RNA sequence: GCGGAUGUGGUGAAAUUGGUAGACACGCUAGACUUAGGAUCUAGUGCUUCGCGGCUUGUGGGUUCGAGUCCCUCCAUCCGCACCA
């Protein structure tokens, strides 16, 4: 074989490992650049060819940045806690630790053979006690913090206690779901247990009774982002709502900052929009409607307070707590029947039968705060108990669901905006004038919204309010293979395990199943106690370890901190992050939350983890389906590397198409890429495969080809267009082949140029040229435009704004010279007819405008 | 329904700033060298026409000397959210 890729690749992989070629320095005068891939979960199936796509792209960029003189941090690790290893343990009894280690070994072997420039000295594993020690430590910081809305920051819980001691709840503006009100004296009089219960309502990691998504098949609770279409994301099992006491994270305290932070990071609009929608900020007003007998008030949230005069009835969710008290005797039977019907419908039924109108009249009336009109109170399952207040003021002229409801039950539909046709359907226009609305009449929608809020506040029936869709994140998982939550219960009071006793290591258990009385698996451990007090038995969710791992890489082996201050200050945050778009509402949101929290508490100087994000597409199987063991259509990178080599795999995965696009694997065209590498090899080897390079000076043709390629490769890498980069190499190789060019002067820069894409062949040729050190350490070749003189650029020449002719001019011609050449051109002379132009405007590379 | 993205040959796709559409690669056709070819090399390859020429970037319009690119309309596909008040 002429081009013996497997020999070359093994040789250089060994060289890199031995010489620690890609180790990054934490102390450096050089500018830093941090390139990170989302670390993989080491599954039993190993890597398929889709996994390395992002790794190859990030590796190209890392290697490129090293050539530009940056100190590049490019680490890799494993998100090694997770469900599959635990399920395997349940089936076979093998400890998840063993399974995980075996899988990691496979991953490492597969990654190594592709020739990535990872700094393996910094490897992290979320399941190793040295790592999760600090995950637990962060949890304790969250447990011991509250959110002060005055400073818009998380603060130490002691400052809250101090406030309670001095002022009670007076003057406090804290983020909490509960509204406590007590004086300093009240606080002093409370028992330890009472105090701890109050504090729990402020902690950022807190224990609360709440409705959670319970998945009976998996035996655990799930966060909202772990559910897709009403079933669990993993396995597709049904999920039900269940009230349970669970640890949660008060991510809602950060809703506004998570939203604002999106403006200063360089992510795709698609991902930003997904996060914005998930956070779901809506501005409007909270309004309380008194009931007719004045005994109750129904609080609603609306984004359109300008339509307040269009309210003709009220609707409560069937589960709303006031329903029973409001319902009149006459209506009781009907209401209860409806509640029963609503409860019987599953989430999925509700989702598929969205258009079905149903409801019942309670017999009670609310009073309109401005007109005093009686508004019938209905219940209907189109109003959700879990969003806002679980009640709405119905404006049928402006809201289609209200309109459908009103039409179905024959309720009034008053128009309040000019141009609404209430017979046709709802019309939520924002451009008309307000009508039939007393003091709001004649105003625009925008003016009416602020005037209505003002009036509502003056009348003390409500106030302007911002609502979020984002919920607090459930943090407990009833599983074995996760980080133990470092909390014990002393006399029923939750307390953190002292920091200097971390990590709280996972105990050994006889079975990886819940106990007979439904306790999580950790409760099976022989002595799951701390100082005789029971320890928390649930573990942390998968996203805990991945929410901060980027910082651990900065100083991965530190024992007395999650990373030292100097390293954190130097590396700051990730400059460029590669990963799939499927983590938009999970990992990418949680890790922004934890980063902001750690910043608040003074541990970090940055408050966004990932400055730029690239979402690589998926590689689908040749049949266009997702690659999966289940479909038996997986292409294994091992086979590709064995047959064509790692450099071919790398080039080919980049050549497949735009990085961010999903595309099918195409076995046929891999040959083309492989052919290129062989052609390139043969250019510098004779028939007996001996290296053959001439010392002749490069011709201008050859230099032109080289510099065209330098320009293209630099530009392509800068804009992450790696597929066209591969094409540029092929064109260059074809041209050099035609010129029979095999001289040193061209090959040297070419080796450096191709190294990010195909590092093994680059190193091999580089060493054959007589160099001792790795080509990865050499400065990237500069583009010199003067070699491209012969290539021309088209300039449209226009007279008084009308285009007259196209003119080809050298690419590096200066502005004055262009002007002169244009005016001397015979075409121009023809159009000028002897007149002197008033003005000549040359926009470089674009257009020449002659004003006569 | 709302939001985001994408529509270019037989296929994957290029076209950087509004300036020769289809680079590069696959596939296909013909040929050369071969006992052989799934090796290598050469030529051809958007559609249409014998040819001159005409047509061509999902549809229909607009702006412009000039539009794949900018603006509007509609259509299709993919993704996210979804009785979110």
């Amino acid at each position: 074989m002429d081009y013996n890729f497997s020999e070359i690749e093994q040789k250089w992989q060994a060289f890199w490992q031995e010489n620690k070629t890609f180790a990054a320095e934490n102390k450096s005068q050089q500018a830093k650049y941090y390139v990170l891939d989302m670390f993989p979960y080491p599954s039993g199936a190993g890597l398929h060819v889709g996994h390395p796509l992002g790794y190859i792209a990030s590796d190209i960029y890392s290697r490129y940045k090293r050539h530009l003189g940056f100190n590049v941090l490019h680490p890799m690790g494993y998100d090694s806690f997770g469900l599959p290893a635990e399920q395997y343990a349940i089936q076979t009894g093998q400890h998840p630790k063993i399974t995980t280690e075996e899988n990691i070994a496979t991953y490492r072997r597969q990654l190594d053979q592709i020739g990535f420039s990872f700094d393996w000295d910094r490897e992290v594993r979320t399941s190793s006690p040295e790592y999760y020690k600090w995950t637990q430590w962060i949890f304790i910081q969250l447990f011991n913090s509250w959110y002060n809305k005055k400073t818009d920051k998380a603060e130490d819980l002691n400052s809250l206690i101090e406030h309670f001691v001095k002022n009670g709840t007076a003057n406090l503006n804290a983020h909490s779901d509960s509204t406590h009100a007590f004086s300093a004296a009240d606080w002093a009089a409370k028992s330890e247990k009472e105090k701890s219960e109050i504090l729990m309502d402020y902690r950022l990691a807190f224990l609360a009774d709440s409705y959670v998504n319970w998945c009976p098949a998996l035996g655990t609770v799930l966060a909202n982002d772990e559910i897709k279409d009403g079933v669990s994301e993993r396995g597709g099992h049904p999920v039900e709502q269940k009230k349970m006491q669970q640890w949660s994270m008060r991510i809602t305290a950060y809703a506004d900052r998570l939203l604002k932070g999106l403006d200063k990071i360089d992510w795709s609009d698609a991902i930003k929009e997904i996060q914005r929608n998930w956070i779901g900020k809506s501005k409007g007003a909270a309004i309380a409607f008194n009931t007719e007998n004045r005994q109750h008030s129904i609080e609603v949230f609306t984004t359109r307070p300008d339509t307040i005069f269009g309210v003709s009835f009220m609707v409560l969710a069937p589960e709303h707590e006031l329903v029973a008290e409001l319902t009149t005797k006459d209506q009781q039977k009907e209401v209860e029947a409806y509640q029963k019907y609503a409860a019987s419908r599953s989430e999925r039924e509700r989702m598929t039968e969205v258009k079905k109108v149903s409801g019942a009249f309670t017999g009670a009336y609310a009073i309109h705060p401005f007109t005093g009109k009686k508004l019938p109170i209905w219940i209907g399952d189109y109003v959700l108990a879990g969003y806002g207040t679980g009640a709405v003021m119905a404006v049928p002229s402006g809201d289609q669901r209200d309109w459908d409801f009103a039409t179905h039950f024959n309720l009034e539909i008053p128009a309040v905006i000019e141009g609404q046709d209430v017979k046709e359907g709802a019309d939520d226009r924002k451009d008309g004038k307000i009508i039939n609305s007393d003091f709001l009449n004649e105003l625009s929608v925008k003016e009416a919204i602020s005037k209505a809020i003002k009036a509502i506040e003056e009348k003390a029936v409500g106030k302007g309010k911002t609502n979020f869709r984002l919920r607090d994140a459930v943090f407990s998982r009833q599983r074995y293979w996760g980080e133990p939550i470092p909390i014990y219960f002393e006399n029923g009071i939750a307390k953190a395990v002292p920091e200097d006793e971390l990590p709280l290591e996972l105990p050994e258990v006889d079975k990886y199943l819940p106990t007979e009385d439904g306790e999580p698996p950790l409760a099976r451990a022989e002595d799951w106690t701390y100082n005789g007090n029971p320890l928390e038995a649930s573990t942390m969710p998968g996203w805990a370890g991945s929410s901060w791992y980027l910082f651990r890489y900065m100083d991965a082996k530190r024992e007395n901190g999650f990373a030292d201050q100097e390293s954190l200050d130097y590396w700051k945050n990730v400059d460029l992050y590669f990963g799939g778009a499927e983590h938009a509402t999970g990992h990418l949101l949680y890790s922004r939350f934890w980063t902001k929290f750690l910043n608040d508490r003074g541990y970090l100087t940055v408050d966004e983890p990932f400055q730029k994000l690239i979402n690589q597409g998926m590689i689908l199987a040749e049949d266009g389906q997702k690659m999966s063991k289940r479909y038996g259509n997986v292409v294994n990178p091992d086979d590709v590397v064995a047959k064509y080599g790692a450099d071919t795999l790398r080039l080919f995965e980049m050549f497949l198409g735009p990085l961010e696009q999903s595309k099918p694997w195409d076995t046929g065209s891999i040959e083309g890429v492989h052919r290129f590498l062989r052609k390139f090899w043969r250019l510098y080897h004779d028939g007996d495969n001996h290296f053959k390079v001439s010392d002749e000076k490069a011709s201008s043709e050859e230099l032109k080809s080289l510099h065209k390629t330098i320009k293209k490769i630099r530009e392509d890498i800068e804009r992450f267009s790696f597929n066209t980069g591969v094409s540029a190499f092929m064109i260059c190789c074809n041209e050099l082949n035609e010129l029979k060019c095999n001289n040193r002067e061209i090959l040297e820069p070419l080796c450096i140029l191709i190294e990010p894409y195909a590092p093994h062949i680059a190193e091999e040729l580089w060493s054959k040229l007589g160099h001792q050190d790795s080509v990865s350490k050499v400065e990237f070749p500069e583009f010199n435009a003067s070699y491209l003189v012969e290539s021309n650029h088209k300039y449209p020449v226009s007279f008084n704004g009308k285009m007259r002719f196209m003119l080809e001019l050298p690419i590096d011609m200066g502005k004055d010279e262009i002007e002169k050449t244009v005016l001397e051109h015979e075409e121009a002379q023809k159009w000028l007819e002897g007149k002197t132009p008033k003005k000549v405007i040359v926009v470089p590379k674009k257009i020449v405008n002659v004003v006569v």
Side-chain angles (χ1 to χ4, degrees):
Chain A
M1 192 177 351
D2 41 8
Y3 161 47
N4 191 339
F5 48 82
S6 62
E7 192 181 293
I8 294 167
E9 288 172 3
Q10 277 167 28
K11 173 177 158 190
W12 290 102
Q13 282 162 17
F15 177 92
W16 296 330
Q17 197 161 26
E18 213 168 289
N19 293 280
K20 291 198 184 295
T21 309
F22 304 111
E25 291 291 333
N26 279 355
K27 284 175 195 162
S28 171
Q29 295 306 305
Q30 286 170 281
K32 70 100 185 187
Y33 202 87
Y34 187 177
V35 185
L36 186 63
D37 295 285
M38 288 185 187
F39 60 169
Y41 172 78
S43 88
L47 291 175
H48 65 63
V49 291
H51 292 112
L53 182 73
Y55 306 158
I56 294 169
S58 71
D59 200 55
I60 290 172
Y61 204 82
S62 305
R63 288 170 179 270
Y64 171 69
K65 279 287 182 181
R66 286 194 196 96
H67 286 301
L68 297 187
F70 286 87
N71 184 26
V72 174
L73 176 55
H74 186 43
M76 182 47 85
Y78 305 97
D79 192 9
S80 45
F81 272 134
L83 225 50
E86 177 160 344
Q87 277 168 338
Y88 189 72
I90 292 168
Q91 284 162 23
T92 64
Q94 173 162 279
H95 198 293
K97 196 164 95 184
I98 310 286
T99 314
T100 303
E101 271 165 17
E102 285 173 4
N103 293 348
I104 286 178
T106 307
Y107 267 60
R108 179 63 192 270
R109 181 186 59 74
Q110 289 188 298
L111 290 171
D112 278 349
Q113 67 178 2
I114 303 174
F116 293 119
S117 65
F118 295 129
D119 181 354
W120 281 108
D121 290 349
R122 295 168 183 267
E123 182 197 290
V124 303
R125 300 178 183 192
T126 55
S127 62
S128 78
E130 298 77 41
Y131 181 89
Y132 69 67
K133 170 179 178 178
W134 298 105
T135 311
Q136 291 173 333
W137 178 84
I138 294 170
F139 176 87
I140 293 173
Q141 306 314 305
L142 283 153
F143 177 71
N144 285 328
S145 298
W146 65 292
Y147 201 87
N148 187 347
K149 289 208 251 181
K150 274 191 199 157
T151 55
D152 206 16
K153 258 184 167 184
E155 290 180 13
D156 193 302
L157 201 69
N158 285 322
S159 71
L160 180 68
I161 296 170
E162 221 169 280
H163 188 104
F164 286 160
V165 169
K166 280 192 194 144
N167 313 306
T169 52
N171 253 330
L172 182 72
N173 193 1
H175 186 95
S176 171
D177 294 328
S178 323
T179 43
H180 292 284
F182 50 81
S183 66
D186 293 341
W187 175 256
K190 288 185 195 297
S191 70
E192 197 196 343
K193 178 124 198 213
E194 285 169 332
K195 283 179 181 173
S196 86
E197 273 164 14
I198 290 169
L199 289 174
M200 197 55 99
D201 289 337
Y202 295 91
R203 295 177 188 270
L204 292 184
F206 63 102
L207 199 55
D209 271 318
S210 53
Y211 278 104
V212 293
N213 308 302
W214 172 256
C215 179
L218 294 173
T220 189
V221 301
L222 297 169
N224 285 348
D225 67 277
E226 291 169 314
I227 298 165
K228 291 257 137 74
D229 303 320
V231 297
S232 72
E233 195 179 22
R234 268 188 190 275
H237 305 293
V239 172
E240 54 193 52
Q241 298 295 304
K242 196 173 164 186
K243 202 161 193 170
M244 288 174 79
Q245 196 181 49
Q246 297 290 313
W247 286 97
S248 288
M249 287 282 163
R250 224 177 281 284
I251 188 172
T252 49
Y254 285 86
D256 239 327
R257 283 167 65 188
L258 288 168
L259 211 49
K260 279 201 202 101
L262 290 172
D263 295 337
K264 44 177 201 189
I265 51 181
D266 192 6
W267 296 11
S268 73
D269 289 337
I271 295 279
K272 285 189 184 182
E273 270 312 301
I274 292 172
Q275 288 210 348
R276 282 194 193 105
N277 290 340
W278 189 261
I279 296 167
K281 182 176 183 169
S282 47
K283 279 190 207 160
I287 309 170
F289 286 72
N290 275 321
T291 53
E292 197 181 16
N293 58 18
R294 306 262 158 191
Q295 281 177 0
H296 303 286
S297 82
I298 298 166
E299 202 185 310
V300 300
F301 174 77
T302 176
T303 53
R304 294 295 296 272
D306 55 310
T307 61
I308 181 93
F309 287 92
V311 179
S312 56
F313 58 100
M314 307 288 289
V315 187
L316 308 185
E319 304 88 343
H320 197 284
E321 50 187 7
L322 287 179
V323 174
E325 293 172 56
L326 288 172
T327 306
T328 58
K329 270 227 161 70
D330 294 350
Q331 292 300 110
Q332 197 170 343
K333 230 173 145 181
E334 195 186 325
V335 165
E336 277 169 10
Y338 183 71
Q339 282 181 314
K340 215 171 149 192
Y341 158 78
S344 73
R345 291 177 80 194
S346 71
E347 279 296 305
R348 301 215 68 172
E349 273 170 2
R350 252 171 101 132
M351 283 164 98
T352 48
E353 296 170 19
V354 159
K355 291 221 165 73
K356 203 166 151 187
V357 178
S358 66
F361 180 43
T362 62
Y365 291 86
I367 301 298
H368 193 287
F370 293 111
T371 64
K373 236 178 124 177
K374 275 169 69 177
L375 307 168
I377 301 169
W378 287 70
I379 62 172
D381 69 356
Y382 81 92
V383 176
L384 303 175
Y387 182 75
T389 59
V392 301
M393 57 175 226
V395 185
S397 61
D399 185 291
Q400 191 58 47
R401 296 153 303 169
D402 294 345
W403 190 90
D404 292 339
F405 197 86
T407 309
H408 190 262
F409 291 109
N410 212 4
L411 297 159
E412 256 185 273
I413 309 178
V416 281
I417 302 176
E418 205 172 50
Q420 282 176 331
D421 184 353
V422 295
K423 288 199 182 73
E424 280 303 304
D427 181 353
D428 62 349
R429 60 176 61 213
K430 286 182 179 139
D431 53 0
K433 281 202 161 59
I434 305 290
I435 52 168
N436 302 333
S437 296
D438 193 6
F439 59 89
L440 298 177
N441 282 341
E442 289 298 305
L443 295 176
S444 73
V445 167
K446 215 179 150 191
E447 291 162 342
I449 289 177
S450 43
K451 190 157 183 191
I453 292 176
K454 228 175 128 193
I456 288 162
E457 286 176 354
E458 273 166 16
K459 256 198 144 195
V461 292
K463 58 180 180 180
K465 197 189 165 186
T466 303
N467 218 20
F468 292 96
R469 203 188 74 98
L470 185 71
R471 306 283 88 182
D472 282 333
V474 191
F475 199 71
S476 301
R477 296 292 181 277
Q478 288 65 39
R479 312 232 50 110
Y480 175 75
W481 192 230
E483 301 88 345
I485 292 177
I487 294 286
Y488 63 93
F489 296 90
E490 190 175 60
N491 304 320
I493 298 170
K495 293 188 174 173
V497 172
E499 288 175 15
D500 56 11
E501 290 179 46
L502 296 178
L504 175 64
E505 288 205 36
L506 259 178
E508 296 300 322
V509 292
D510 55 342
K511 263 196 249 172
Y512 303 96
L513 288 169
T515 63
E516 275 66 48
D517 24 313
E519 288 281 299
L522 293 198
R524 286 180 173 274
E526 206 153 292
D527 184 25
W528 193 234
T529 57
Y530 177 79
N531 284 348
N533 300 303
L535 278 158
E536 169 65 47
S538 59
T539 52
M540 300 190 195
W543 54 265
S546 60
S547 290
W548 71 280
Y549 75 116
L550 66 149
F551 299 112
R552 185 62 176 171
Y553 283 132
M554 295 176 183
D555 186 18
K557 299 215 162 63
R558 193 155 197 91
E559 285 173 16
N560 61 348
F562 66 87
D564 80 316
Q565 203 55 52
E566 209 179 333
S567 305
L568 289 167
D569 289 349
Y570 176 70
W571 293 112
K572 292 187 177 70
N573 58 1
V574 175
D575 294 283
L576 183 58
Y577 196 35
F578 287 83
E582 67 273 18
H583 298 103
T585 53
H587 162 61
L588 287 171
L589 197 60
Y590 294 128
S591 120
R592 294 182 60 218
F593 160 40
W594 278 31
T595 301
K596 285 178 193 302
F597 167 74
L598 290 169
N599 172 274
D600 284 356
R601 298 304 316 273
Y603 297 110
L604 297 176
T605 53
V606 290
D607 81 334
E608 283 290 343
F610 312 113
Q611 191 53 43
K612 185 173 171 65
L613 173 69
I614 303 260
N615 299 113
Q616 84 273 16
M618 272 192 299
I619 293 190
L620 307 169
E622 282 188 89
D623 52 15
Q625 268 185 313
K626 218 169 154 168
M627 259 188 214
S628 151
K629 222 162 122 184
R630 198 171 352 143
Y631 303 130
N633 56 8
V634 175
V635 182
N636 189 325
D638 296 13
D639 302 338
V640 181
V641 169
K643 189 164 178 199
Y644 299 103
D647 283 340
T648 298
L649 176 73
R650 293 171 63 108
L651 283 166
F652 177 62
E653 292 217 2
M654 291 301 101
F655 186 70
L656 266 177
L659 184 60
E660 308 203 40
Q661 201 172 291
S662 287
K663 54 242 160 189
W665 182 260
D666 177 12
T667 307
S669 55
I670 194 167
E671 296 281 353
V673 178
H674 189 59
R675 230 170 265 165
F676 151 70
L677 281 176
R678 292 175 56 186
K679 210 190 272 182
F680 182 59
W681 180 266
R682 278 202 306 268
L683 204 48
Y684 299 98
H685 290 83
D686 61 21
D688 300 320
N689 203 25
H690 290 127
F691 187 61
K692 186 186 70 178
V693 69
S694 87
D695 286 319
E696 272 171 52
K697 270 204 90 55
S699 69
S700 63
E701 281 279 296
E702 291 163 3
L703 285 165
K704 183 178 157 186
S705 181
L706 171 70
H707 281 268
K708 217 169 62 185
T709 310
I710 294 173
K711 184 166 186 276
K712 183 88 177 122
I713 293 297
R714 291 188 86 117
E715 285 170 357
D716 284 349
I717 296 181
E718 297 283 357
R719 63 193 176 104
F720 305 99
S721 179
F722 300 116
N723 53 332
T724 53
V726 180
S727 297
F729 286 126
M730 290 179 178
I731 295 167
C732 180
C733 183
N734 287 345
E735 284 171 358
L736 295 182
N737 204 28
E738 200 134 309
L739 296 166
K740 306 223 177 324
C741 163
N742 74 335
N743 62 53
R744 172 180 294 272
E745 196 181 338
I746 299 294
L747 179 57
E748 285 218 352
L750 220 46
C751 282
I752 308 165
L753 216 54
I754 206 168
E755 187 266 347
Y757 283 86
H760 308 89
I761 196 170
E763 293 276 26
E764 180 68 13
L765 293 173
W766 185 254
S767 83
K768 284 187 171 181
L769 283 167
H771 299 282
Q772 298 300 312
D773 209 357
S774 164
V775 65
S776 67
K777 311 246 174 196
V778 185
E779 209 174 309
F780 215 61
E782 281 294 333
F783 162 62
N784 185 340
S786 66
Y787 293 115
L788 269 61
V789 178
E790 289 146 87
S791 70
N792 292 342
H793 195 278
K794 280 214 162 84
Y795 285 80
V797 181
S798 80
F799 291 83
N800 293 340
K802 297 276 171 195
M803 212 275 288
R804 296 305 183 194
F805 62 95
M806 296 289 290
L807 186 62
E808 276 197 26
L809 297 171
I811 197 167
D812 67 333
M813 191 181 250
K815 213 175 144 177
D816 296 340
E817 222 179 324
I818 290 174
E819 190 182 317
K820 201 172 147 229
T821 318
V822 166
L823 293 179
E824 281 169 3
H825 195 269
E826 55 176 289
E827 282 281 333
Q829 294 293 330
K830 202 169 88 195
W831 290 105
L832 283 167
E833 294 167 328
K835 282 175 276 187
T836 325
K838 274 189 206 155
K839 208 168 38 167
V840 180
I841 306 155
V842 178
V843 181
K845 284 184 160 191
K846 237 181 162 178
I847 198 159
V848 182
N849 257 308
V850 182
V851 182
V852 186

